[in-house]
Amino acid sequence: GGCCGKPGDGHVAPEEVGFKAEGPVKDRGCTDILWVPIFIAAQVIFIIVTIAGMADGDPSKLYRPRDYRGAYCGVEENWNGGPNTLNMAKQSYTMNVTATVDVIMQQLVCSSAARKALIEGDGAVAPLITDAAAQQEYLCDCCLEPCDRCPGSLEVGGDLSDPASVSSVIGAKMSDLTNPDAGADLFKPSGANGNRFSATAFWQEATKYF
């Protein structure tokens, strides 16, 4: 801004300030003409990238909700081969039972007691799984034998070698989750699920899909 007004009324007239009235240089122009085409080219590239993104991507993913695994709600193709959620456009906030009892289920199904009942038998009783391919799939899913789907042994909180251990350990863990009166025991280190609800376990779950 500057000062303006009529000469003689206490204001400064343009001719009284000399060259500053019109700026330090009278004949001003673009001194960086080389950067004009570069700037235009950058804008063109930006438009091209935007069009390509619109054509190959899904702009709706910018505002669609995502579930706990990072999958978008209401889209047919999710990242990393995720599920088809085309008919699941809304997000709900509920307790994820699968994620909550997943480790407990693995400890039960992949225990020595379950392995004996499912694929080995005890001599008097035949194994429940008799197909060789199904037995191998079970061993692979439980990481009891090396396979391409198993990066290492499962961390499930220890092996259960007999039916009595299965009943006591799994029963105590499920009781903590299903009994409202035992809710406080979830956060006790000495509780049946103490290792699952520790500060370290919470952080691991929070960063699991990052």
Side-chain angles (χ1 to χ4, degrees):
C3 301
C4 61
K6 297 180 180 179
D9 59 0
H11 298 282
V12 180
E15 58 270 15
E16 297 178 2
V17 297
F19 73 94
K20 294 182 180 179
E22 297 181 356
V25 180
K26 291 185 178 181
D27 298 328
R28 286 182 289 178
C30 182
T31 58
D32 299 319
I33 192 66
L34 176 64
W35 294 101
V36 173
I38 296 177
F39 176 77
I40 295 175
Q43 299 305 306
V44 171
I45 294 174
F46 176 78
I47 295 173
I48 293 174
V49 171
T50 302
I51 294 174
M54 296 284 289
D56 297 335
D58 186 354
S60 67
K61 290 181 179 179
L62 295 173
Y63 58 84
R64 289 190 181 277
R66 304 178 75 174
D67 67 7
Y68 72 100
R69 294 174 299 179
Y72 293 92
C73 300
V75 299
E76 186 172 1
E77 296 182 3
N78 263 295
W79 67 282
N80 201 24
N84 181 353
T85 60
L86 184 62
N87 297 321
M88 309 172 198
K90 296 182 179 180
Q91 185 179 34
S92 62
Y93 295 91
T94 58
M95 183 175 181
N96 191 311
V97 178
T98 300
T100 303
V101 302
D102 185 50
V103 175
I104 301 175
M105 181 277 298
Q106 289 178 348
Q107 185 178 23
L108 169 63
V109 175
C110 300
S111 64
S112 297
R115 178 175 180 174
K116 185 176 182 180
L118 292 174
I119 66 173
E120 294 177 356
D122 61 359
V125 179
L128 298 176
I129 302 176
T130 58
D131 181 70
Q135 291 180 351
Q136 192 62 37
E137 186 175 3
Y138 163 79
L139 294 172
C140 177
D141 289 338
C142 286
C143 294
L144 298 174
E145 289 188 0
C147 66
D148 56 352
R149 298 198 306 273
C150 183
S153 60
L154 298 179
E155 297 293 336
V156 295
D159 187 28
L160 305 174
S161 57
D162 55 79
S165 298
V166 171
S167 177
S168 61
V169 174
I170 302 300
K173 290 185 175 183
M174 292 304 299
S175 176
D176 280 356
L177 295 174
T178 57
N179 183 5
D181 296 331
D185 293 336
L186 288 174
F187 304 96
K188 293 182 179 179
S190 59
N193 294 286
N195 61 328
R196 293 289 296 158
F197 291 89
S198 64
T200 302
F202 270 118
W203 179 249
Q204 289 176 345
E205 287 297 317
T207 58
K208 186 174 181 180
Y209 298 102
F210 285 179

